[in-house]
Amino acid sequence: MTITERISALRSTMQQNDLDAYIIPSSDPHQSEYVAPHWEARSWLSGFTGSAGILVITMEHAGLWTDSRYFIQAETQLKGTPVVLHQQGPARGPEHLEWLGKQLPEGATVGIDGMLFSLSQNRTLVKMLHQYKLELEIQHDLLPAIWADRPPLPTEAIFEIANKFTGMSRADKLTQIRAKMTDQQTSHYLISALDEIAWTFNLRGRDIDFNPVFVAYAVIEATHAILFVDAKKINSELSDQLKADGIFVKAYDTVTTYLSALTADQPLLVDKATTSIGLYQHLNKKSIKESSSIVSVLKGIKNPTEIKNIRQAMRYDGVALTRLYRSLEKTLSAGETITEAELADQLASFRSEQPGYYGESFPAIVGYQANGAIVHYRPEHGTSATIHPKGLLLLDSGGQYHSGTTDITRTTALGPVTADQRYHYTLVLKGHIGVAALHFPEGTKGYQVDTLARQALWNAHLDYGHGTGHGVGFFLNVHEGPQSISSSAGRGSVALEVGMLTSNEPGFYRPDEYGIRIENLVLTAEAGSSDFGDFLKFDTVTLFPIDLSLVDKSLLTTTEIQWLNTYHKLVFEELSPLLEPAEVVWLKDKCKIFD
Amino acid sequence: MTITERISALRSTMQQNDLDAYIIPSSDPHQSEYVAPHWEARSWLSGFTGSAGILVITMEHAGLWTDSRYFIQAETQLKGTPVVLHQQGPARGPEHLEWLGKQLPEGATVGIDGMLFSLSQNRTLVKMLHQYKLELEIQHDLLPAIWADRPPLPTEAIFEIANKFTGMSRADKLTQIRAKMTDQQTSHYLISALDEIAWTFNLRGRDIDFNPVFVAYAVIEATHAILFVDAKKINSELSDQLKADGIFVKAYDTVTTYLSALTADQPLLVDKATTSIGLYQHLNKKSIKESSSIVSVLKGIKNPTEIKNIRQAMRYDGVALTRLYRSLEKTLSAGETITEAELADQLASFRSEQPGYYGESFPAIVGYQANGAIVHYRPEHGTSATIHPKGLLLLDSGGQYHSGTTDITRTTALGPVTADQRYHYTLVLKGHIGVAALHFPEGTKGYQVDTLARQALWNAHLDYGHGTGHGVGFFLNVHEGPQSISSSAGRGSVALEVGMLTSNEPGFYRPDEYGIRIENLVLTAEAGSSDFGDFLKFDTVTLFPIDLSLVDKSLLTTTEIQWLNTYHKLVFEELSPLLEPAEVVWLKDKCKIFD
């Protein structure tokens, strides 16, 4: 079936169901950012594989809305299909709901699969569509009727992660969660988000590429907990261990029946942001207490054991990167070349030699020259660019280790550097250090930090079209909340608390020429108290040198140079004991004092 | 009557009305920040005269809630009264509604005078009190029963301000407003805010100290407008001119009758933030359309004539300040002294010699040494400190000119400077320049700018307890919206648009020792376009040197030093043509190149 045929089939089904429009988001019933193939309907229907995008089908039009990270990718992937790209962002065209409001006549009906929209999203949807006098039908999963070869639900085995990694047993986590449930006067708590379930039970899975989670729902009650999951994924030994902790397994699809039987005296806490409206509809409204997620907040603050492990994972990652970049230098100076996709494989291979390695935390972005300007570029064998000893290479990658999740971006010069490249790189670096070196009062929120990453670029009338930082899980999803360093007061509304792990990744992109991004992970830490209260700081935990050959030192302040030198001293001290002598020599040179 | 007797009288009235608590805010029926004496009930009942504070009276307790700007003032003024200070702010005690929730039994009744609370405030009030199962009664103005010598409503004459100052006739302003009314499909628009009424009709008054406004309501209709105001305040000539523009005068207290007669086919736009719940209650709900203020947005953006005039007012102000500081230097070096209150008078006197001077824009804060640490200190004759040739002097003042409103703070060394003073001053200056020199993309909001003013202080574990910038009116209120540079996503939620006039005033306060604040007004201006969109910048329009003897140059970056030198060059060029030769010599020295 071609994309055209698929959309045509969908339209027939829409007509049978009296729908004038159908919205297909990127998510699954758990509001995951990345989904199992079973839920990749948007990509199946449009050809666009980016992580963020909304497909809207009417009888006359097929439109895909996505943000600036994906403009280039979407244009490429939609070519030859009937799907039209609608760019999201300030001063672009209308958002999809506004567009629908303008296109459809009053009284028209818009359909969705309610399992793919959260309570909060549904409310926005209802409110917006109401404004345009459009109806919303949320009971329609049209895909089964047309998607013959739809991949089945994943069946990969679930495994445990030891307390020496997590720092807290699942029993202790349940105790902590139940204390918060008591505070909120609730006896039942539904967890829909897959990373929250994995964290709570110290379990991991392989259902979604790069995200070590498994498809499930969980309900925590006062004395026991229920995991709604395909029982075949849990071996008998694990099942026994779970039972010993008061955790019982029931079939995934029985969650609705189970929850809908709750009565008014069995209050059920649901998280508005991750509970689907499809599930919510079946529940007893008298039982439901809406709130934000308990687990998201607990999980966001890493405990001392996790922090110790994260620091170890960063050393492993730094060693793998040292080997990769040293090997690349050798390859190029020997007059040989390598493709972006080959380099990505080589990096995965170096990481895989490290203790406790589990896999990549996301598909590595190896963006050579112009490809570096494509924010979420993913090199493929056969089409990816060949790397030569010239120009800039942007490499954004991460590993999953039992001791933690990493995410690092470096931009390096492979040959002579132009004045513009050096200027832009230095501005990005100034932004990176502005955040990395900041001390701030307790209570400071993500949106208060974002501008420090942009100030130097803004003053040169430049900017970047993505956020500055996202939360990172512990051997879990590379994008996790609740915090974020963002220019949006909404996304950046959470205070940056001690123990949170966040990325610091300003960038600059010159389309068709090059991309620059410098990303480290930072842990929020205590910085001391004064008459003005308790102050916090960011401890940079990622360990790999920043390319000094791209830095215009005359643009840096003394403080910025000091930060660089202190960072490189730390990188060398932490990594050199794990390296071969020749590698130590190589690293020493990269970490040289900049003065 | 003593404060104790007044509170006791209020409690008797509360009992007669079955109220368990009564809340007295700082505002008037127009949500003014500063009010006419008639509405100074909070100050009459508690003795606290600060601009912000909420008094809560129960049968057992009298509490005043105010923020950190006023802690010291409130402590002093509440001494000897039964009123207890409750400090507002992070990590302080509960806010007043939370406190009421804890103190009062379920079912208790809280009373307010609905005329003093906006629609938005009332909703928050209802929501919060509902949470604690408390009732709200909004029909109670208890003051008339107990306040025998309450000042009457003000009766000062209203006067016109010429188009050469405002840059736009009232007829043109009404046309502009009516276009926005048409966009919002409304035929009637109620204006409650006094500065908005003054701006709309190019009228000014003397009803509130320092704010050239008059007590009134206005309703704009499609073909005419009505000013609800005491007719005695408008002479017949002005009355005729208003009539010629289709503006008719009706008595102030007839606004309720007038508005409540509107029918469903006469939609009335009301601003949630400034329309009182007391007034709203009397209106036909079928007629009302709630929205934000049309005038606030129009008024916030200064037109080219206003901008030209503002620049002129800044020159006048700079000349007055030059004369003041030069005179102070002479006084001190002659071995004489002067009190803070005398210095404030002298400044007003120098300003009054300038063209178009009308009065002060707020009571000058002349804070010598420890008094500088009291953020809203106001020196009084008889008690104010005597200034000697040592220590720091903080002077925050402003003038009202027909050509604009000014607001400037300078902190100056009157003798030898300690290392701490120089360090703190330099950190504040770095924050000031961080904002002043920023270029930013169109659409940037106030909350995105605030941290730049605090970064240097935060990195030294210091901070200040007030916002960074407020909007300023044109020959109107010194505090006006809609924009603000604030760490709060709410208060700072408005984008900084071309033509907005905003203060830039970071500070640092060491209690009992000294206060530092450096404040200039900045106009948002176009900075040019790039591939990344349109960029804006701040043009600093305030003209007076910054005390270099307090600056530790080793802490400044090259860019910061350049900003200082460029600013001082501008100050000298703009002011020197208006000065006497000896004054030019003095200013030349203060504006010397810092290298």
Coordinates of all heavy atoms in Angstrom, one line a residue, chain A residues 434 437-441 444 447-452 455 457-459 461-464 487-490 508-509 527-532 535-536 557, chain B residues 434 437-441 444 447-452 455 457-459 461-464 487-490 508-509 527-532 535-536 557:
Chain A
G434 N 27.3 29.9 30.4 CA 26.4 30.8 31.1 C 25.5 30.0 32.0 O 25.2 30.3 33.2
A437 N 27.8 27.5 34.6 CA 28.5 28.1 35.8 C 27.5 28.9 36.7 O 27.9 29.4 37.7 CB 29.5 29.1 35.2
L438 N 26.2 28.8 36.4 CA 25.2 29.6 37.1 C 25.0 29.1 38.5 O 24.8 27.9 38.7 CB 23.9 29.7 36.4 CG 22.8 30.5 37.1 CD1 23.1 32.0 37.0 CD2 21.4 30.2 36.4
H439 N 25.0 29.9 39.5 CA 24.5 29.6 40.8 C 23.1 30.3 40.9 O 22.9 31.4 40.3 CB 25.4 30.1 42.0 CG 26.6 29.3 42.1 ND1 27.2 29.0 43.3 CD2 27.4 28.7 41.2 CE1 28.3 28.2 43.1 NE2 28.4 28.0 41.8
F440 N 22.2 29.7 41.6 CA 20.8 30.3 41.6 C 20.1 30.0 42.9 O 20.3 29.0 43.5 CB 20.0 29.9 40.4 CG 20.0 28.4 40.2 CD1 19.0 27.6 40.8 CD2 21.0 27.7 39.4 CE1 19.1 26.2 40.6 CE2 21.0 26.4 39.2 CZ 20.0 25.6 39.8
P441 N 19.2 30.9 43.3 CA 18.4 30.6 44.6 C 17.5 29.4 44.4 O 17.0 29.2 43.3 CB 17.6 31.9 44.8 CG 17.9 32.8 43.7 CD 18.7 32.1 42.7
T444 N 14.3 28.5 41.9 CA 14.5 29.0 40.5 C 13.9 28.0 39.5 O 14.2 26.8 39.6 CB 16.0 29.3 40.2 OG1 16.4 30.4 41.1 CG2 16.2 29.8 38.8
Y447 N 12.5 28.2 33.2 CA 12.3 29.4 32.3 C 13.2 30.5 32.7 O 13.4 31.4 31.9 CB 10.8 29.8 32.1 CG 10.2 30.4 33.4 CD1 10.5 31.7 33.7 CD2 9.3 29.8 34.1 CE1 9.9 32.4 34.8 CE2 8.7 30.3 35.2 CZ 9.0 31.7 35.6 OH 8.5 32.2 36.7
Q448 N 13.6 30.6 34.0 CA 14.5 31.7 34.4 C 15.9 31.5 34.0 O 16.7 32.4 34.0 CB 14.4 31.8 35.9 CG 13.1 32.2 36.5 CD 13.1 32.3 38.0 OE1 12.6 31.4 38.7 NE2 13.7 33.4 38.5
V449 N 16.3 30.2 33.5 CA 17.7 29.9 33.2 C 17.9 30.0 31.7 O 19.0 30.3 31.2 CB 18.0 28.5 33.8 CG1 19.4 28.1 33.3 CG2 17.9 28.5 35.3
D450 N 16.8 29.7 30.9 CA 17.0 29.6 29.5 C 17.7 30.7 28.8 O 18.6 30.5 27.9 CB 15.6 29.4 28.9 CG 15.6 29.2 27.4 OD1 15.9 28.1 26.9 OD2 15.4 30.2 26.6
T451 N 17.4 32.0 29.1 CA 18.0 33.1 28.4 C 19.5 33.1 28.5 O 20.2 33.6 27.6 CB 17.3 34.4 28.9 OG1 15.9 34.3 28.7 CG2 17.8 35.6 28.1
L452 N 20.1 32.6 29.6 CA 21.5 32.7 29.8 C 22.2 31.9 28.7 O 23.3 32.2 28.3 CB 21.9 32.1 31.1 CG 21.4 32.9 32.3 CD1 21.8 32.3 33.6 CD2 21.8 34.4 32.3
Q455 N 21.8 34.5 25.4 CA 22.2 35.9 25.5 C 23.3 36.2 24.4 O 23.1 37.2 23.7 CB 22.7 36.2 26.9 CG 23.1 37.6 27.1 CD 23.6 37.8 28.5 OE1 24.0 36.9 29.2 NE2 23.7 39.1 29.0
L457 N 24.2 34.7 21.7 CA 23.6 34.5 20.3 C 22.7 35.7 20.0 O 22.8 36.3 18.9 CB 22.9 33.2 20.2 CG 23.8 31.9 20.1 CD1 23.0 30.7 20.5 CD2 24.5 31.8 18.8
W458 N 21.8 35.9 20.9 CA 20.8 37.0 20.7 C 21.5 38.3 20.4 O 21.1 39.1 19.5 CB 19.9 37.2 21.9 CG 18.8 36.2 22.1 CD1 18.5 35.2 21.2 CD2 17.8 36.2 23.1 NE1 17.4 34.5 21.7 CE2 16.9 35.1 22.8 CE3 17.5 37.0 24.2 CZ2 15.8 34.8 23.6 CZ3 16.4 36.7 25.0 CH2 15.6 35.6 24.7
N459 N 22.5 38.6 21.2 CA 23.2 39.9 21.0 C 23.9 40.0 19.6 O 24.2 41.1 19.1 CB 24.2 40.1 22.1 CG 23.5 40.6 23.4 OD1 22.4 41.1 23.3 ND2 24.2 40.4 24.5
H461 N 22.2 38.7 17.0 CA 21.0 38.5 16.2 C 20.9 37.0 15.7 O 20.4 36.8 14.6 CB 20.9 39.5 15.1 CG 20.7 40.9 15.7 ND1 20.3 42.0 14.9 CD2 20.8 41.4 16.9 CE1 20.3 43.0 15.6 NE2 20.5 42.7 16.9
L462 N 21.3 36.1 16.5 CA 21.2 34.7 16.2 C 20.4 34.0 17.3 O 20.1 34.6 18.4 CB 22.6 34.1 16.1 CG 23.6 34.8 15.2 CD1 25.0 34.2 15.3 CD2 23.1 34.8 13.7
D463 N 20.0 32.7 17.1 CA 19.2 32.0 18.0 C 19.2 30.5 17.6 O 19.7 30.2 16.6 CB 17.8 32.6 18.0 CG 17.0 32.2 19.3 OD1 17.6 31.5 20.2 OD2 15.8 32.6 19.4
Y464 N 18.5 29.7 18.4 CA 18.3 28.3 18.0 C 16.8 28.0 18.3 O 16.3 28.5 19.2 CB 19.3 27.3 18.7 CG 19.4 27.4 20.2 CD1 18.6 26.6 21.0 CD2 20.3 28.3 20.8 CE1 18.7 26.7 22.4 CE2 20.4 28.4 22.2 CZ 19.6 27.6 22.9 OH 19.7 27.7 24.3
S487 N 12.3 28.4 27.1 CA 11.8 29.8 27.1 C 10.3 29.8 27.4 O 9.8 30.9 27.6 CB 12.1 30.4 25.7 OG 11.5 29.7 24.7
S488 N 9.7 28.7 27.3 CA 8.3 28.6 27.6 C 8.0 28.6 29.1 O 8.5 27.7 29.8 CB 7.7 27.4 26.9 OG 6.6 26.9 27.7
A489 N 7.2 29.5 29.6 CA 6.9 29.5 31.0 C 6.2 28.2 31.4 O 6.3 27.8 32.6 CB 6.0 30.7 31.4
G490 N 5.4 27.6 30.5 CA 4.7 26.4 30.8 C 5.7 25.2 31.0 O 5.8 24.6 32.0
F508 N 23.5 26.3 17.4 CA 23.4 27.2 16.3 C 23.4 26.5 15.0 O 24.2 25.6 14.8 CB 24.5 28.3 16.3 CG 24.4 29.2 15.1 CD1 23.5 30.2 15.1 CD2 25.2 29.0 14.0 CE1 23.4 31.0 13.9 CE2 25.1 29.8 12.9 CZ 24.2 30.8 12.9
Y509 N 22.5 26.8 14.1 CA 22.4 26.0 12.9 C 22.3 27.0 11.7 O 21.5 27.9 11.6 CB 21.1 25.2 12.9 CG 21.1 24.4 14.2 CD1 20.4 24.9 15.4 CD2 21.8 23.2 14.4 CE1 20.5 24.2 16.6 CE2 21.9 22.6 15.6 CZ 21.2 23.1 16.7 OH 21.3 22.4 17.9
A527 N 24.9 24.7 46.6 CA 26.0 25.6 46.4 C 26.3 26.4 47.7 O 27.3 27.1 47.7 CB 25.7 26.5 45.3
G528 N 25.5 26.2 48.7 CA 25.8 27.0 50.0 C 24.7 27.9 50.3 O 23.8 28.2 49.5
S529 N 24.7 28.4 51.5 CA 23.6 29.3 52.0 C 24.2 30.7 52.2 O 25.4 30.8 52.5 CB 23.0 28.8 53.3 OG 22.4 27.6 53.0
S530 N 23.4 31.7 52.2 CA 23.8 33.1 52.5 C 22.6 33.8 53.2 O 21.6 33.1 53.4 CB 24.2 33.8 51.2 OG 23.1 34.2 50.5
D531 N 22.8 35.1 53.5 CA 21.6 35.8 54.0 C 20.5 35.8 53.1 O 19.3 36.2 53.4 CB 22.1 37.3 54.3 CG 23.1 37.4 55.4 OD1 23.3 36.4 56.1 OD2 23.7 38.5 55.5
F532 N 20.8 35.5 51.8 CA 19.7 35.5 50.8 C 19.1 34.2 50.5 O 18.4 34.0 49.5 CB 20.3 36.2 49.5 CG 20.7 37.6 49.8 CD1 22.0 37.9 50.3 CD2 19.8 38.7 49.6 CE1 22.3 39.2 50.6 CE2 20.2 40.0 50.0 CZ 21.5 40.2 50.5
F535 N 21.4 28.5 48.0 CA 21.7 28.6 46.6 C 22.1 27.3 46.0 O 22.6 26.4 46.7 CB 22.9 29.6 46.4 CG 22.4 31.1 46.3 CD1 22.0 31.7 47.5 CD2 22.2 31.7 45.1 CE1 21.5 33.0 47.5 CE2 21.7 33.0 45.1 CZ 21.3 33.7 46.2
L536 N 21.7 27.1 44.8 CA 22.0 25.8 44.1 C 23.0 26.1 42.9 O 23.2 27.3 42.5 CB 20.7 25.2 43.6 CG 19.6 25.0 44.6 CD1 18.4 24.4 44.0 CD2 20.1 24.2 45.8
T557 N 35.2 35.7 28.5 CA 35.6 36.4 29.7 C 36.6 35.5 30.5 O 36.6 34.3 30.3 CB 34.4 36.7 30.6 OG1 33.8 35.5 31.1 CG2 33.3 37.5 29.8
Chain B
G434 N 23.6 44.0 31.8 CA 23.1 42.8 31.1 C 21.8 43.0 30.5 O 21.5 42.5 29.4
A437 N 22.0 46.2 27.6 CA 22.7 45.9 26.4 C 22.1 44.7 25.6 O 22.6 44.4 24.5 CB 24.2 45.6 26.7
L438 N 21.1 44.1 26.1 CA 20.5 42.9 25.5 C 19.8 43.2 24.2 O 19.0 44.2 24.1 CB 19.6 42.2 26.4 CG 18.9 40.9 25.9 CD1 20.0 39.8 25.9 CD2 17.7 40.5 26.8
H439 N 20.1 42.4 23.2 CA 19.2 42.4 22.0 C 18.4 41.1 22.1 O 18.9 40.1 22.7 CB 20.0 42.4 20.7 CG 20.7 43.7 20.4 ND1 20.8 44.2 19.1 CD2 21.2 44.6 21.2 CE1 21.4 45.4 19.2 NE2 21.6 45.7 20.4
F440 N 17.2 41.1 21.6 CA 16.4 39.9 21.8 C 15.4 39.7 20.7 O 15.0 40.7 20.1 CB 15.7 39.9 23.2 CG 15.0 41.2 23.5 CD1 13.6 41.4 23.1 CD2 15.6 42.3 24.1 CE1 13.0 42.6 23.3 CE2 15.0 43.5 24.3 CZ 13.6 43.7 23.9
P441 N 15.0 38.5 20.4 CA 14.0 38.3 19.3 C 12.7 38.9 19.6 O 12.2 38.9 20.8 CB 13.9 36.8 19.2 CG 14.8 36.2 20.1 CD 15.4 37.2 21.0
T444 N 9.9 38.2 22.8 CA 10.6 37.8 24.1 C 9.8 38.5 25.2 O 9.3 39.7 25.1 CB 12.0 38.3 24.1 OG1 12.7 37.6 23.1 CG2 12.7 38.1 25.4
Y447 N 9.7 37.9 31.6 CA 10.3 36.9 32.5 C 11.5 36.3 31.9 O 12.3 35.7 32.6 CB 9.3 35.8 32.9 CG 8.9 34.8 31.7 CD1 9.7 33.8 31.3 CD2 7.6 34.9 31.2 CE1 9.4 33.0 30.3 CE2 7.2 34.0 30.1 CZ 8.1 33.1 29.7 OH 7.8 32.2 28.7
Q448 N 11.7 36.4 30.5 CA 12.9 35.9 29.9 C 14.1 36.8 30.1 O 15.3 36.4 29.9 CB 12.7 35.7 28.4 CG 11.7 34.6 28.1 CD 11.5 34.4 26.6 OE1 10.5 35.0 26.0 NE2 12.4 33.7 25.9
V449 N 13.9 38.0 30.5 CA 14.9 39.0 30.6 C 15.4 39.1 32.1 O 16.6 39.5 32.4 CB 14.4 40.4 30.1 CG1 15.4 41.5 30.4 CG2 14.1 40.3 28.6
D450 N 14.5 38.9 33.0 CA 14.8 39.1 34.5 C 16.1 38.6 35.0 O 16.9 39.3 35.7 CB 13.6 38.6 35.3 CG 13.9 38.8 36.8 OD1 13.6 40.0 37.2 OD2 14.3 37.9 37.5
T451 N 16.4 37.3 34.6 CA 17.6 36.7 35.2 C 18.9 37.4 34.8 O 19.9 37.3 35.6 CB 17.7 35.2 34.8 OG1 16.4 34.6 35.2 CG2 18.8 34.5 35.4
L452 N 18.9 38.0 33.6 CA 20.2 38.7 33.2 C 20.5 39.8 34.3 O 21.7 40.1 34.4 CB 20.0 39.4 31.9 CG 19.7 38.3 30.7 CD1 19.5 39.1 29.4 CD2 20.8 37.3 30.7
Q455 N 22.1 37.6 37.4 CA 23.1 36.6 37.2 C 24.4 36.8 38.0 O 24.8 35.9 38.8 CB 23.5 36.5 35.7 CG 24.5 35.4 35.4 CD 24.8 35.4 33.9 OE1 24.5 36.4 33.1 NE2 25.4 34.3 33.4
L457 N 24.8 38.7 40.7 CA 24.5 38.7 42.1 C 24.3 37.2 42.5 O 24.9 36.8 43.5 CB 23.2 39.5 42.4 CG 23.4 41.0 42.4 CD1 22.0 41.7 42.2 CD2 24.1 41.5 43.6
W458 N 23.5 36.5 41.8 CA 23.3 35.1 42.1 C 24.6 34.3 42.2 O 24.8 33.5 43.1 CB 22.4 34.4 41.0 CG 21.0 34.7 41.1 CD1 20.4 35.5 42.0 CD2 19.9 34.1 40.3 NE1 19.0 35.5 41.8 CE2 18.7 34.7 40.8 CE3 19.9 33.2 39.2 CZ2 17.5 34.3 40.2 CZ3 18.7 32.9 38.6 CH2 17.5 33.5 39.1
N459 N 25.5 34.5 41.2 CA 26.8 33.8 41.3 C 27.6 34.1 42.5 O 28.5 33.3 42.9 CB 27.6 34.0 40.0 CG 27.0 33.2 38.8 OD1 26.3 32.2 39.0 ND2 27.3 33.6 37.6
H461 N 25.9 34.5 45.4 CA 24.9 34.1 46.4 C 24.2 35.3 47.0 O 23.9 35.3 48.2 CB 25.6 33.2 47.4 CG 26.0 31.9 46.9 ND1 26.4 30.9 47.7 CD2 26.1 31.5 45.6 CE1 26.8 29.8 46.9 NE2 26.6 30.2 45.6
L462 N 24.0 36.3 46.1 CA 23.2 37.5 46.5 C 22.0 37.6 45.7 O 21.9 37.0 44.6 CB 24.1 38.7 46.4 CG 25.5 38.6 47.1 CD1 26.4 39.8 46.8 CD2 25.3 38.5 48.6
D463 N 21.1 38.5 46.0 CA 19.9 38.7 45.2 C 19.2 40.0 45.7 O 19.7 40.6 46.6 CB 18.9 37.5 45.4 CG 17.9 37.3 44.3 OD1 17.9 38.2 43.4 OD2 17.1 36.4 44.4
Y464 N 18.1 40.4 45.1 CA 17.3 41.4 45.6 C 15.8 41.0 45.5 O 15.4 40.2 44.7 CB 17.5 42.7 44.8 CG 17.4 42.6 43.3 CD1 16.1 42.9 42.7 CD2 18.5 42.3 42.5 CE1 16.0 42.8 41.3 CE2 18.4 42.2 41.1 CZ 17.1 42.4 40.5 OH 17.0 42.3 39.2
S487 N 10.7 37.9 37.6 CA 11.0 36.5 37.6 C 9.7 35.7 37.6 O 9.7 34.5 37.5 CB 11.8 36.2 38.9 OG 11.0 36.5 40.0
S488 N 8.6 36.3 37.8 CA 7.3 35.6 37.8 C 6.8 35.5 36.4 O 6.7 36.5 35.6 CB 6.3 36.4 38.7 OG 5.0 36.3 38.1
A489 N 6.4 34.3 36.0 CA 6.0 34.0 34.6 C 4.6 34.8 34.4 O 4.3 35.1 33.3 CB 5.8 32.5 34.4
G490 N 3.9 35.0 35.5 CA 2.6 35.7 35.4 C 2.8 37.2 35.1 O 2.4 37.7 34.1
F508 N 20.8 45.9 45.4 CA 21.3 45.0 46.4 C 21.2 45.7 47.7 O 21.5 46.9 47.8 CB 22.8 44.7 46.2 CG 23.4 43.9 47.3 CD1 23.1 42.6 47.5 CD2 24.2 44.6 48.3 CE1 23.6 41.9 48.6 CE2 24.7 43.9 49.4 CZ 24.4 42.5 49.5
Y509 N 20.7 45.0 48.8 CA 20.4 45.7 50.0 C 21.0 44.9 51.2 O 20.8 43.7 51.4 CB 18.9 45.8 50.2 CG 18.3 46.4 49.0 CD1 17.8 45.6 48.0 CD2 18.3 47.8 48.8 CE1 17.3 46.1 46.8 CE2 17.8 48.3 47.6 CZ 17.4 47.5 46.6 OH 16.9 48.0 45.4
A527 N 16.1 46.5 16.4 CA 17.5 46.4 16.4 C 18.0 45.8 15.1 O 19.2 45.6 14.8 CB 18.0 45.5 17.6
G528 N 17.1 45.5 14.2 CA 17.5 44.9 12.9 C 16.9 43.5 12.7 O 16.5 42.8 13.7
S529 N 17.0 43.0 11.5 CA 16.5 41.7 11.2 C 17.7 40.8 10.8 O 18.7 41.2 10.3 CB 15.5 41.8 10.0 OG 14.4 42.5 10.4
S530 N 17.5 39.5 10.9 CA 18.5 38.5 10.4 C 17.7 37.3 10.0 O 16.4 37.3 10.0 CB 19.4 38.1 11.6 OG 18.7 37.2 12.5
D531 N 18.4 36.2 9.6 CA 17.7 35.0 9.2 C 16.9 34.4 10.3 O 16.1 33.6 10.2 CB 18.8 33.9 8.8 CG 19.5 34.3 7.5 OD1 19.0 35.2 6.8 OD2 20.5 33.7 7.2
F532 N 17.2 34.9 11.5 CA 16.5 34.4 12.7 C 15.3 35.3 13.2 O 14.9 35.2 14.3 CB 17.5 34.2 13.8 CG 18.6 33.2 13.4 CD1 19.7 33.5 12.7 CD2 18.4 31.8 13.7 CE1 20.6 32.6 12.3 CE2 19.3 30.9 13.3 CZ 20.4 31.3 12.5
F535 N 14.9 41.4 15.5 CA 15.5 41.6 16.8 C 15.2 42.9 17.4 O 15.1 43.9 16.6 CB 17.0 41.3 16.8 CG 17.3 39.8 16.9 CD1 17.1 39.0 15.8 CD2 17.6 39.2 18.1 CE1 17.4 37.6 15.8 CE2 17.9 37.8 18.1 CZ 17.7 37.1 17.0
L536 N 15.0 43.0 18.7 CA 14.7 44.3 19.4 C 15.8 44.5 20.4 O 16.7 43.7 20.7 CB 13.4 44.1 20.1 CG 12.2 43.7 19.3 CD1 10.9 43.6 20.2 CD2 11.9 44.6 18.1
T557 N 33.5 43.1 32.0 CA 34.0 42.6 30.7 C 34.2 43.8 29.8 O 33.7 44.9 30.1 CB 32.9 41.7 30.0 OG1 31.8 42.5 29.7 CG2 32.5 40.5 30.9

